[in-house]
Amino acid sequence: MKKLFVTIVGVLSVILTSCSEDIVFNVSMEVTPTEVRNGDEITISFIKSEDTNVNFKAEIFWEDEKIGEVSKAPYQLKYVVDGMEEGFYTINSSISYGKKEGAMSSKGFVKKSRIINVIE
């Protein structure tokens, strides 16, 4: 009986300490300005939901080239546009986030994108 009790407690400990679930985390990405010339600086900002216990990291890409990442307040990246031909370009971000409360942990992943117009 004692072995059965120890086994049950051990199994429950593993289950409770390794619980995880997907969470919904609201974050938006803003890029300003959206119309630029070579030499102009753009600001890429992330506005996260009210939940301050969620940690996240955003990797930012100009088309397919990584231009930086943010993981701390004020959650902004400044980038100078250089050597681009006229046209529309996509700023993409891959955002991973997680939260841990006691024995429970939650994690998730989301992608955001914005269009930038390079003129002259």
Side-chain angles (χ1 to χ4, degrees):
M1 184 69 166
K2 191 174 184 179
K3 278 187 173 183
L4 179 61
F5 178 74
V6 170
T7 303
I8 291 172
V9 169
V11 170
L12 287 174
S13 296
V14 169
I15 291 171
L16 291 175
T17 58
S18 63
C19 289
S20 71
E21 63 181 67
D22 289 337
I23 59 171
V24 176
F25 175 62
N26 294 320
V27 62
S28 61
M29 180 176 83
E30 294 179 0
V31 179
T32 54
T34 56
E35 188 171 272
V36 296
R37 292 181 167 79
N38 283 303
D40 288 350
E41 180 179 79
I42 60 172
T43 301
I44 303 154
S45 304
F46 296 89
I47 295 89
K48 65 181 197 164
S49 66
E50 298 282 324
D51 193 344
T52 58
N53 293 325
V54 175
N55 296 316
F56 80 94
K57 178 175 89 170
E59 295 181 300
I60 301 108
F61 301 85
W62 180 282
E63 295 290 320
D64 292 328
E65 181 182 334
K66 185 175 177 179
I67 59 173
E69 62 184 51
V70 297
S71 60
K72 295 181 181 169
Y75 308 110
Q76 291 184 344
L77 175 74
K78 296 198 180 282
Y79 179 74
V80 176
V81 178
D82 185 42
M84 298 295 160
E85 294 182 12
E86 278 189 56
F88 293 94
Y89 295 87
T90 305
I91 304 263
N92 296 301
S93 66
S94 297
I95 303 165
S96 57
Y97 52 90
K99 179 178 182 177
K100 186 165 181 146
E101 288 184 21
M104 296 292 290
S105 65
S106 307
K107 59 185 175 181
F109 181 80
V110 68
K111 292 186 175 219
K112 301 283 182 176
S113 63
R114 295 290 178 266
I115 302 294
I116 298 294
N117 184 18
V118 177
I119 56 175
E120 294 183 41

